[in-house]
Amino acid sequence: MRQCSLLLHAQKILTQDAQRRILEDASLAINDGKIVDIGPRRQLECNWQATRTSDLGNVLILPGLINAHTHAAMTLLRGYADDLPLLQWLEQKIFPREAQLTAELVELFSLLGFAEMLASGTTACLDMYIFEKAVFAAARRAGIRLTAGEGVFGFSSACCACWQDALQYTEELVASTAQESRLKVIVSPHSVYTTDPQILTASLHLAEKLNLPLHLHLSESPQEVAQCQKAHGQSPIAYLSRLGLFSRPTKLAHVVVCSDTDLDILSQAKDTTILHCPGSNMKLASGCARIPLMHQRGLSLALGTDGPASNNQLNMFLEMNRAALLHKLTANDPETMPASTVLDMATLGGARALGHNDLGSLEIGNWADLTALDLSAPNLVPCYEPASHLVYAASGHEVVLTMVEGEILYDHGTFTRFDYESLCREVTKVIASIRKMA
Ligand SMILES: [Zn+2]
């Protein structure tokens, strides 16, 4: 018999492997945070001696969901300003509030965001914000997997006095996370409309120097495109292409407005991933990204919630549901964006977005990042097709267990690494003092 640290049994395992196998009465063997075997329970029980065995019973285990575009600390501003157009919402409501942020607030509210993610089956995310050292600190406390970068702007932020400082800060992030397998850094110029050619070129050069990808908001609304046409004589996508940004792996949030010419540019780019955020796009009425066409053209697609101030949740089950329904309605075609395609975006697509080829599916050699849903929840009975349930029936509240690298981080309502009640007390205190100031 071979030795492993954990043997996990479940009624069903959705693997997301190349054959999209769904195993019944199955088990996972985990050692050193990685999957060392997966298959029928009887077989694994014969082959593996585990330090610990856990029978989760009537659950569905699936790869941990990956939130490929978010600003976790914006839980601070959840519900603070709703029902406004993007640029007005940002410039009049969000940016002035963010100018008053501190590292302590960012850490506290990022931890709250990570709690919401872990409790709803998300094991990894791609984050862009300010005070990202504090976001990494929160990720260490929660245990979640995080790829993140400091937002680079053409104006000062509460964290960095200028864009040069933000790039310097990005270099410091790399040094401070180098030894941690769960943490990765990405160069994050915020967007075309909050930067200029010099900043974008400097961001590209830093990405080249550190061998990192780039993450930015792009072509999010018709207003942004009109502004870019006026300022630079090109669409945001053509403008980034001219500046050479697509020579690096780029992670592009939104891409709501995308002409046929833009689509050709993206198709020819070496390594781009579109980070689709349907909830945020609908709430801000930014428009509907041409995701089905991008899928047909073979573009790499992932799914994100965006920040909780424009969603207002960090729940990937809700986001999968929105992605499937939005495109069916818009295309007037119920066959558009089937559940399996949307689930791929939230798992394998997310893994590509984070630059991980060892995530997104439950296979030997991959990290044991996974979540388990209680199949006895009334809304999940009966279960003919698990992918259908994940996209159309589950709400995320059926999650009973979430683990990263074989470490259980959320177990039947309890977070294992931090005290959720004291986090809530702290949040209540902070909100009361902010209300007093306002
Ligand atoms: Zn965003």
Side-chain angles (χ1 to χ4, degrees):
M1 294 248 289
R2 297 166 69 191
Q3 300 286 324
C4 67
S5 54
L6 176 63
L7 204 52
L8 211 51
H9 306 304
Q11 185 56 46
K12 289 183 198 290
I13 300 180
L14 179 138
T15 63
Q16 285 294 83
D17 66 6
Q19 296 83 39
R20 302 296 189 272
R21 284 183 308 150
I22 293 159
L23 311 174
E24 300 278 344
D25 194 16
S27 304
L28 276 157
I30 297 164
N31 203 43
D32 284 337
K34 296 213 164 174
I35 298 166
V36 290
D37 203 358
I38 179 168
R41 175 173 180 159
R42 220 176 301 158
Q43 188 183 313
L44 266 71
E45 279 178 332
C46 288
N47 294 345
W48 293 93
Q49 176 113 49
T51 313
R52 212 186 125 214
T53 298
S54 176
D55 186 350
L56 297 176
N58 188 26
V59 303
L60 169 67
I61 291 181
L62 63 143
L65 300 174
I66 297 173
N67 187 343
H69 178 73
T70 192
H71 317 283
M74 290 182 86
T75 47
L76 172 66
L77 300 171
R78 187 191 339 248
Y80 165 71
D82 298 307
D83 311 325
L84 291 170
L86 172 67
L87 294 182
Q88 190 186 344
W89 173 77
L90 267 179
E91 284 161 12
Q92 293 177 12
K93 295 289 183 178
I94 300 302
F95 286 160
R97 270 286 174 207
E98 288 180 337
Q100 301 164 337
L101 279 173
T102 62
E104 291 72 25
L105 284 174
V106 168
E107 181 173 337
L108 180 68
F109 285 89
S110 294
L111 185 58
L112 180 63
F114 296 148
E116 185 183 356
M117 290 187 204
L118 292 171
S120 56
T122 293
T123 51
C125 68
L126 176 51
D127 191 90
M128 177 202 296
Y129 209 52
I130 54 175
F131 295 107
E132 280 290 340
K133 285 177 193 169
V135 183
F136 279 113
R140 285 186 192 100
R141 285 170 71 184
I144 199 165
R145 191 181 295 283
L146 172 70
T147 297
E150 180 71 11
V152 184
F153 301 90
F155 42 85
S156 64
S157 76
C159 180
C160 297
C162 59
W163 60 267
Q164 290 93 337
D165 284 3
L167 292 179
Q168 174 61 37
Y169 188 101
T170 305
E171 288 207 60
E172 291 164 16
L173 284 176
V174 175
S176 64
T177 56
Q179 304 304 321
E180 293 161 284
S181 58
R182 298 183 198 187
L183 308 181
K184 279 189 180 201
V185 179
I186 188 162
V187 181
S188 303
H190 175 265
S191 64
V192 163
Y193 60 90
T194 52
T195 57
D196 62 29
Q198 191 187 6
I199 299 170
L200 291 171
T201 305
S203 300
L204 170 64
H205 289 159
L206 183 67
E208 284 167 347
K209 178 179 145 190
L210 301 174
N211 193 26
L212 294 178
L214 290 146
H215 176 205
L216 64 165
H217 297 89
L218 187 67
S219 215
E220 184 175 350
S221 69
Q223 294 88 328
E224 177 192 334
V225 176
Q227 265 187 21
C228 188
Q229 286 284 2
K230 200 169 157 201
H232 307 291
Q234 287 181 297
S235 73
I237 292 168
Y239 168 65
L240 279 198
S241 177
R242 175 163 62 82
L243 293 176
L245 266 77
F246 297 138
S247 63
R248 292 294 311 159
T250 46
K251 319 297 169 186
L252 308 173
H254 303 298
V255 196
V256 165
V257 185
C258 184
S259 69
D260 290 346
T261 313
D262 289 333
L263 201 55
D264 288 339
I265 294 171
L266 294 175
S267 301
Q268 285 155 20
K270 211 167 69 181
D271 181 3
T272 59
T273 303
I274 310 298
L275 316 174
H276 182 38
C277 303
S280 175
N281 297 159
M282 286 196 279
K283 184 159 185 267
L284 295 164
S286 299
C288 179
R290 301 169 82 188
I291 297 298
L293 185 60
M294 291 173 180
H295 181 57
Q296 270 174 31
R297 294 280 294 264
L299 286 178
S300 177
L301 302 173
L303 198 60
T305 58
D306 210 352
S310 66
N311 185 301
N312 293 2
Q313 302 186 40
L314 297 167
N315 181 334
M316 288 294 289
F317 287 93
L318 177 60
E319 217 55 35
M320 288 197 287
N321 185 268
R322 285 167 168 168
L325 300 190
L326 169 65
H327 296 292
K328 288 176 205 307
L329 179 71
T330 311
N332 193 24
D333 176 6
E335 294 183 60
T336 297
M337 300 301 283
S340 57
T341 303
V342 174
L343 183 60
D344 282 359
M345 288 171 68
T347 53
L348 298 158
R352 272 196 301 276
L354 267 60
H356 272 280
N357 58 9
D358 48 11
L359 289 181
S361 63
L362 301 177
E363 297 179 83
I364 293 172
N366 277 5
W367 287 113
D369 288 19
L370 56 85
T371 189
L373 267 71
D374 178 8
L375 283 175
S376 62
N379 54 318
L380 301 186
V381 179
C383 181
Y384 297 107
E385 171 50 64
S388 160
H389 267 13
L390 296 174
V391 174
Y392 297 120
S395 67
H397 297 111
E398 310 82 355
V399 166
V400 291
L401 180 133
T402 304
M403 68 165 58
V404 172
E405 296 188 1
E407 180 193 353
I408 295 172
L409 300 175
Y410 178 77
D411 190 358
H412 293 84
T414 302
F415 297 94
T416 58
R417 280 208 186 189
F418 61 93
D419 178 7
Y420 181 68
E421 278 176 20
S422 72
L423 168 68
C424 285
R425 277 196 298 275
E426 193 115 348
V427 165
T428 308
K429 236 194 294 173
V430 167
I431 296 298
S433 67
I434 287 176
R435 283 226 162 109
K436 246 185 241 161
M437 277 174 1

mmCIF file of all heavy atoms in Angstrom, residues 69-71 74 128 190 215 217 220 253-254 277 280 305-307 310, ligand 1:
data_model
loop_
_atom_site.group_PDB
_atom_site.id
_atom_site.type_symbol
_atom_site.label_atom_id
_atom_site.label_comp_id
_atom_site.label_asym_id
_atom_site.label_seq_id
_atom_site.Cartn_x
_atom_site.Cartn_y
_atom_site.Cartn_z
ATOM 1 N N HIS A 69 -11.609 37.769 -12.077
ATOM 2 C CA HIS A 69 -11.453 39.229 -12.010
ATOM 3 C C HIS A 69 -12.240 39.756 -10.820
ATOM 4 O O HIS A 69 -13.472 39.688 -10.793
ATOM 5 C CB HIS A 69 -11.934 39.913 -13.296
ATOM 6 C CG HIS A 69 -11.829 41.409 -13.211
ATOM 7 N ND1 HIS A 69 -10.614 42.068 -13.271
ATOM 8 C CD2 HIS A 69 -12.764 42.383 -13.039
ATOM 9 C CE1 HIS A 69 -10.823 43.368 -13.149
ATOM 10 N NE2 HIS A 69 -12.113 43.581 -13.001
ATOM 11 N N THR A 70 -11.510 40.311 -9.858
ATOM 12 C CA THR A 70 -12.215 40.852 -8.696
ATOM 13 C C THR A 70 -11.388 41.920 -7.997
ATOM 14 O O THR A 70 -10.212 42.160 -8.338
ATOM 15 C CB THR A 70 -12.595 39.721 -7.710
ATOM 16 O OG1 THR A 70 -13.517 40.235 -6.749
ATOM 17 C CG2 THR A 70 -11.369 39.159 -6.996
ATOM 18 N N HIS A 71 -12.037 42.587 -7.068
ATOM 19 C CA HIS A 71 -11.400 43.568 -6.186
ATOM 20 C C HIS A 71 -11.985 43.248 -4.802
ATOM 21 O O HIS A 71 -12.965 43.875 -4.378
ATOM 22 C CB HIS A 71 -11.756 44.997 -6.614
ATOM 23 C CG HIS A 71 -11.708 45.200 -8.103
ATOM 24 N ND1 HIS A 71 -10.530 45.340 -8.792
ATOM 25 C CD2 HIS A 71 -12.697 45.263 -9.041
ATOM 26 C CE1 HIS A 71 -10.787 45.491 -10.090
ATOM 27 N NE2 HIS A 71 -12.086 45.440 -10.266
ATOM 28 N N MET A 74 -13.318 45.544 -1.966
ATOM 29 C CA MET A 74 -14.471 46.424 -2.187
ATOM 30 C C MET A 74 -15.735 45.944 -1.474
ATOM 31 O O MET A 74 -16.784 46.570 -1.582
ATOM 32 C CB MET A 74 -14.728 46.618 -3.683
ATOM 33 C CG MET A 74 -13.648 47.468 -4.335
ATOM 34 S SD MET A 74 -13.946 47.782 -6.083
ATOM 35 C CE MET A 74 -14.999 49.237 -5.973
ATOM 36 N N MET A 128 -7.169 42.863 -8.382
ATOM 37 C CA MET A 128 -6.449 44.118 -8.640
ATOM 38 C C MET A 128 -7.018 45.159 -7.691
ATOM 39 O O MET A 128 -8.229 45.342 -7.621
ATOM 40 C CB MET A 128 -6.685 44.574 -10.085
ATOM 41 C CG MET A 128 -6.033 45.910 -10.430
ATOM 42 S SD MET A 128 -6.797 46.742 -11.844
ATOM 43 C CE MET A 128 -6.472 45.641 -13.180
ATOM 44 N N HIS A 190 -4.460 49.884 -14.406
ATOM 45 C CA HIS A 190 -5.901 49.762 -14.172
ATOM 46 C C HIS A 190 -6.725 49.669 -15.451
ATOM 47 O O HIS A 190 -7.567 48.796 -15.609
ATOM 48 C CB HIS A 190 -6.374 50.952 -13.310
ATOM 49 C CG HIS A 190 -7.856 50.997 -13.109
ATOM 50 N ND1 HIS A 190 -8.688 51.751 -13.913
ATOM 51 C CD2 HIS A 190 -8.665 50.366 -12.214
ATOM 52 C CE1 HIS A 190 -9.945 51.583 -13.503
ATOM 53 N NE2 HIS A 190 -9.948 50.755 -12.480
ATOM 54 N N HIS A 215 -2.604 42.500 -16.335
ATOM 55 C CA HIS A 215 -4.047 42.414 -16.046
ATOM 56 C C HIS A 215 -4.615 43.824 -16.117
ATOM 57 O O HIS A 215 -4.120 44.718 -15.433
ATOM 58 C CB HIS A 215 -4.208 41.824 -14.630
ATOM 59 C CG HIS A 215 -5.613 41.755 -14.126
ATOM 60 N ND1 HIS A 215 -5.905 41.747 -12.781
ATOM 61 C CD2 HIS A 215 -6.819 41.678 -14.748
ATOM 62 C CE1 HIS A 215 -7.220 41.657 -12.606
ATOM 63 N NE2 HIS A 215 -7.788 41.615 -13.785
ATOM 64 N N HIS A 217 -8.434 46.368 -17.048
ATOM 65 C CA HIS A 217 -9.809 46.534 -17.533
ATOM 66 C C HIS A 217 -9.716 47.032 -18.961
ATOM 67 O O HIS A 217 -8.919 47.933 -19.246
ATOM 68 C CB HIS A 217 -10.546 47.591 -16.708
ATOM 69 C CG HIS A 217 -10.705 47.248 -15.257
ATOM 70 N ND1 HIS A 217 -9.771 47.586 -14.309
ATOM 71 C CD2 HIS A 217 -11.697 46.605 -14.604
ATOM 72 C CE1 HIS A 217 -10.197 47.169 -13.120
ATOM 73 N NE2 HIS A 217 -11.360 46.565 -13.268
ATOM 74 N N GLU A 220 -14.625 48.395 -21.590
ATOM 75 C CA GLU A 220 -15.708 47.977 -20.691
ATOM 76 C C GLU A 220 -17.044 48.597 -21.057
ATOM 77 O O GLU A 220 -18.096 48.009 -20.792
ATOM 78 C CB GLU A 220 -15.316 48.332 -19.245
ATOM 79 C CG GLU A 220 -16.318 47.847 -18.204
ATOM 80 C CD GLU A 220 -15.857 48.089 -16.774
ATOM 81 O OE1 GLU A 220 -14.677 48.470 -16.582
ATOM 82 O OE2 GLU A 220 -16.659 47.898 -15.848
ATOM 83 N N ALA A 253 -10.088 42.247 -18.542
ATOM 84 C CA ALA A 253 -11.396 42.214 -17.897
ATOM 85 C C ALA A 253 -12.431 42.940 -18.745
ATOM 86 O O ALA A 253 -12.163 44.034 -19.254
ATOM 87 C CB ALA A 253 -11.309 42.854 -16.516
ATOM 88 N N HIS A 254 -13.569 42.322 -18.917
ATOM 89 C CA HIS A 254 -14.778 42.858 -19.566
ATOM 90 C C HIS A 254 -14.798 42.683 -21.084
ATOM 91 O O HIS A 254 -15.558 41.885 -21.590
ATOM 92 C CB HIS A 254 -15.022 44.321 -19.170
ATOM 93 C CG HIS A 254 -15.143 44.512 -17.699
ATOM 94 N ND1 HIS A 254 -16.138 43.928 -16.956
ATOM 95 C CD2 HIS A 254 -14.360 45.172 -16.795
ATOM 96 C CE1 HIS A 254 -15.994 44.234 -15.681
ATOM 97 N NE2 HIS A 254 -14.906 44.986 -15.551
ATOM 98 N N CYS A 277 -17.317 39.337 -17.004
ATOM 99 C CA CYS A 277 -17.966 39.674 -15.729
ATOM 100 C C CYS A 277 -19.422 40.061 -15.996
ATOM 101 O O CYS A 277 -19.770 41.260 -15.943
ATOM 102 C CB CYS A 277 -17.235 40.824 -15.045
ATOM 103 S SG CYS A 277 -15.488 40.528 -14.739
ATOM 104 N N SER A 280 -21.482 42.364 -13.290
ATOM 105 C CA SER A 280 -21.065 43.760 -13.249
ATOM 106 C C SER A 280 -21.499 44.490 -14.528
ATOM 107 O O SER A 280 -21.996 45.615 -14.476
ATOM 108 C CB SER A 280 -19.540 43.818 -13.080
ATOM 109 O OG SER A 280 -19.068 45.126 -13.156
ATOM 110 N N THR A 305 -16.331 37.911 -10.980
ATOM 111 C CA THR A 305 -17.468 38.637 -10.402
ATOM 112 C C THR A 305 -17.291 40.141 -10.542
ATOM 113 O O THR A 305 -18.252 40.886 -10.414
ATOM 114 C CB THR A 305 -17.600 38.341 -8.903
ATOM 115 O OG1 THR A 305 -16.376 38.708 -8.256
ATOM 116 C CG2 THR A 305 -17.903 36.874 -8.662
ATOM 117 N N ASP A 306 -16.032 40.611 -10.765
ATOM 118 C CA ASP A 306 -15.675 42.003 -10.567
ATOM 119 C C ASP A 306 -15.821 42.302 -9.072
ATOM 120 O O ASP A 306 -16.080 41.395 -8.274
ATOM 121 C CB ASP A 306 -16.526 42.933 -11.440
ATOM 122 C CG ASP A 306 -15.768 44.209 -11.834
ATOM 123 O OD1 ASP A 306 -14.656 44.438 -11.316
ATOM 124 O OD2 ASP A 306 -16.286 44.983 -12.662
ATOM 125 N N GLY A 307 -15.660 43.547 -8.667
ATOM 126 C CA GLY A 307 -15.707 43.856 -7.234
ATOM 127 C C GLY A 307 -17.124 43.775 -6.692
ATOM 128 O O GLY A 307 -18.094 43.926 -7.435
ATOM 129 N N SER A 310 -19.931 46.381 -7.521
ATOM 130 C CA SER A 310 -20.639 46.444 -8.802
ATOM 131 C C SER A 310 -21.231 45.094 -9.176
ATOM 132 O O SER A 310 -21.399 44.786 -10.340
ATOM 133 C CB SER A 310 -19.694 46.925 -9.914
ATOM 134 O OG SER A 310 -18.674 45.972 -10.146
HETATM 135 ZN ZN ZN B 1 -12.864 45.392 -12.237
#
